[in-house]
Amino acid sequence: MEQYEPDRLSPARVAAMRRSFTSGRAALTRRSLLRASAGGALAVGGLGTLSACGIPAAGKTEGGVSSEDRSKEEKEVSFSNWTEYMDVDDSGNRHPTLDAFTERTGIKVKYTEDINDNNEFFGKIQPQLAAGQETGRDIIVVTDWLAARLIRLGWVQKLDPSNLPHAYANLSPQFRSPDWDPGRAYSYPWQGISTVIAYNKKALDGVEVRTVSDLLDKPELKGRVGFLTEMRDSIGMVLLDMGKDPGDFSDDDYDAAIDRLQKGVDRGQIRRFTGNDYTADISKGDFAACLAWAGDVVQLKADNPDVDFLIPDSGYITSSDNMLVPNKARHKTNAERLMDYYYEPGPAARLAAYINYVCPVEGVKDELAKIDEDAANNPLIIPDQAMQAQSRAFRSLSAKEETAYEEKFAKLTGA
């Protein structure tokens, strides 16, 4: 277990946090751009037949600190999530899948949208966790790099596989074994986030774009290309384009990727680095092409027939927001039952139809087609096997690496 010491953040890392909170992935309101396509009443069936292929057993790593589990006596669970990251009914006041879970199990869900930014949320829960106290939450949802930190610190509990049969069986292969949680001993994905290339067909005017190198090198695109302010996404996509593995790269590889982007900046090829405000640029044609998050592209394509996306042959970066049970949680078993519930095809389909992010649940396509056939056939929501095979994750970073890498990236972007 890693001992926690308060971070002494460099100016570059502080700038990176501000970027993430004001314009980066953390600024996504989850539903601000995406349509609510699921409607009507929700009917959720019973337990389905489990898939024959399970998830490998978790490794024997040190678990977090448990508390007396009051799940039997207290039929409740406290769930902290990001804003607009859950299905709602037409009134906007109720969450159909959560209501169906309560009706089936008798477990009441205290659902709170109190996560707006990973670093801000870490600041909320750090004092209690560091002091060995409960946070008042049974499930939290955080992005993969923060999940990795919480696991390293020993501040989250190892999950009980017996309470997670659907999750073990139905987790999509591309999310099964991240380097920060091999075998998913402590976490399960809530949703996936894919980084792709978006383009405006009218703005391209016949210029062929297939790769990140095309964005950086084609003179016809000078001043009309965008990259992301999220370091892992932009650098990860460049590493892939260079034939490097974002899950296993060296300092020299990172520096080469920085140099590659710096040349694009110096030549004026890159118009600017953006958060999800690229949506306006690509829709208007100010960007001919840019790196983009798949959740945005779903709605952009629906609203503007000139906008489309592509997956480079070199692959694409996928990250995830993940459910974890913090130390001293009062209702661990109830939390695990709720986590497992969202790996049943029915609830998973309802959630995917509403939020349009990458569904981490294998075998949900048929259920989703009953609700929204377009969503079921959209590879940005339900990646096929070929697309899953192209998915790559950015490896975990040490605190020293993160500081050094963010400093270099901040210099590049002018942050």
Side-chain angles (χ1 to χ4, degrees):
M1 188 191 311
E2 176 180 303
Q3 184 176 2
Y4 176 72
E5 295 181 2
D7 290 335
R8 293 176 175 83
L9 298 177
S10 67
R13 289 186 71 190
V14 171
M17 292 177 186
R18 290 199 185 106
R19 280 201 314 274
S20 182
F21 188 49
T22 59
S23 64
R25 187 188 298 147
L28 295 174
T29 58
R30 294 308 201 253
R31 284 281 71 201
S32 61
L33 296 171
L34 309 181
R35 73 186 186 283
S37 58
L42 173 66
V44 180
L47 298 180
T49 303
L50 295 182
S51 167
C53 61
I55 307 300
K60 295 181 179 179
T61 51
E62 195 71 26
V65 179
S66 62
S67 178
E68 180 185 352
D69 190 351
R70 299 171 176 84
S71 292
K72 288 184 178 180
E73 298 82 13
E74 300 173 5
K75 293 291 186 179
E76 60 186 82
V77 61
S78 179
F79 185 177
S80 282
N81 205 349
W82 296 72
T83 58
E84 301 185 60
Y85 215 13
M86 178 68 75
D87 59 307
V88 298
D89 64 8
D90 291 339
S91 72
N93 298 318
R94 302 192 67 85
H95 303 292
T97 56
L98 290 177
D99 290 345
F101 173 79
T102 298
E103 184 176 352
R104 182 203 294 183
T105 65
I107 298 170
K108 295 182 179 180
V109 183
K110 179 186 176 184
Y111 184 72
T112 308
E113 295 181 339
D114 61 345
I115 305 177
N116 295 299
D117 172 74
N118 285 291
N119 288 291
E120 180 189 54
F121 184 66
F122 182 73
K124 286 182 183 180
I125 62 176
Q126 178 269 321
Q128 294 101 318
L129 292 173
Q133 300 170 353
E134 65 176 277
T135 65
R137 300 167 175 90
D138 300 306
I139 300 176
I140 59 175
V141 177
V142 297
T143 305
D144 42 22
W145 62 265
L146 181 53
R149 180 192 293 179
L150 293 171
I151 292 169
R152 287 198 310 269
L153 291 167
W155 288 357
V156 293
Q157 298 186 53
K158 183 175 284 189
L159 302 174
D160 183 348
S162 66
N163 293 326
L164 294 155
H166 294 92
Y168 261 59
N170 296 339
L171 177 61
S172 173
Q174 73 182 102
F175 297 107
R176 284 190 176 186
S177 194
D179 66 350
W180 47 270
D181 187 15
R184 289 289 182 182
Y186 296 90
S187 68
Y188 272 92
W190 177 246
Q191 296 291 293
I193 305 167
S194 297
T195 304
V196 299
I197 293 178
Y199 61 90
N200 185 305
K201 288 176 274 192
K202 186 179 291 185
L204 282 179
D205 193 25
V207 177
E208 184 179 7
V209 170
R210 291 299 312 164
T211 67
V212 171
S213 286
D214 289 338
L215 302 188
L216 291 171
D217 296 337
K218 289 206 168 184
E220 304 96 321
L221 301 181
K222 183 175 180 180
R224 300 191 297 136
V225 167
F227 279 75
L228 293 167
T229 54
E230 293 286 340
M231 179 269 287
R232 289 167 176 81
D233 294 315
S234 285
I235 295 295
M237 292 293 280
V238 173
L239 285 169
L240 284 169
D241 187 71
M242 295 167 54
K244 302 296 183 180
D245 182 358
D248 183 17
F249 63 89
S250 66
D251 289 345
D252 288 343
D253 295 332
Y254 184 89
D255 289 343
I258 287 284
D259 290 344
R260 186 95 173 85
L261 285 170
Q262 186 66 60
K263 290 175 182 176
V265 171
D266 294 343
R267 292 198 312 267
Q269 185 80 4
I270 298 174
R271 183 184 184 96
R272 66 190 185 104
F273 289 82
T274 74
N276 73 318
D277 49 328
Y278 63 76
T279 54
D281 293 276
I282 198 71
S283 293
K284 292 186 297 184
D286 292 340
F287 283 164
C290 65
L291 296 190
W293 292 306
D296 292 339
V297 178
V298 173
Q299 182 60 36
L300 290 172
K301 279 172 57 65
D303 293 341
N304 187 340
D306 289 327
V307 175
D308 211 332
F309 78 99
L310 64 90
I311 304 295
D313 291 339
S314 57
Y316 66 101
I317 293 292
T318 294
S319 56
S320 57
D321 289 329
N322 307 274
M323 299 179 283
L324 303 99
V325 177
N327 284 356
K328 298 290 185 177
R330 292 172 61 93
H331 312 106
K332 181 174 181 284
T333 298
N334 291 345
E336 291 165 339
R337 290 183 68 184
L338 182 57
M339 292 165 69
D340 191 63
Y341 166 76
Y342 279 104
Y343 275 81
E344 296 179 27
R350 286 288 177 185
L351 188 64
Y354 184 78
I355 62 178
N356 292 168
Y357 277 73
V358 180
C359 180
V361 182
E362 190 83 351
V364 78
K365 185 173 181 176
D366 289 344
E367 287 295 322
L368 183 54
K370 298 175 185 176
I371 306 167
D372 186 335
E373 191 169 350
D374 288 341
N377 293 318
N378 191 330
L380 297 180
I381 300 173
I382 307 292
D384 57 23
Q385 289 186 351
M387 186 169 172
Q388 288 184 25
Q390 291 180 288
S391 170
R392 297 291 182 271
F394 198 93
R395 70 170 174 82
S396 301
L397 301 177
S398 66
K400 181 179 179 180
E401 285 177 323
E402 187 167 20
T403 297
Y405 290 175
E406 286 287 7
E407 285 177 349
K408 291 174 181 179
F409 191 71
K411 183 179 179 181
L412 166 74
T413 61

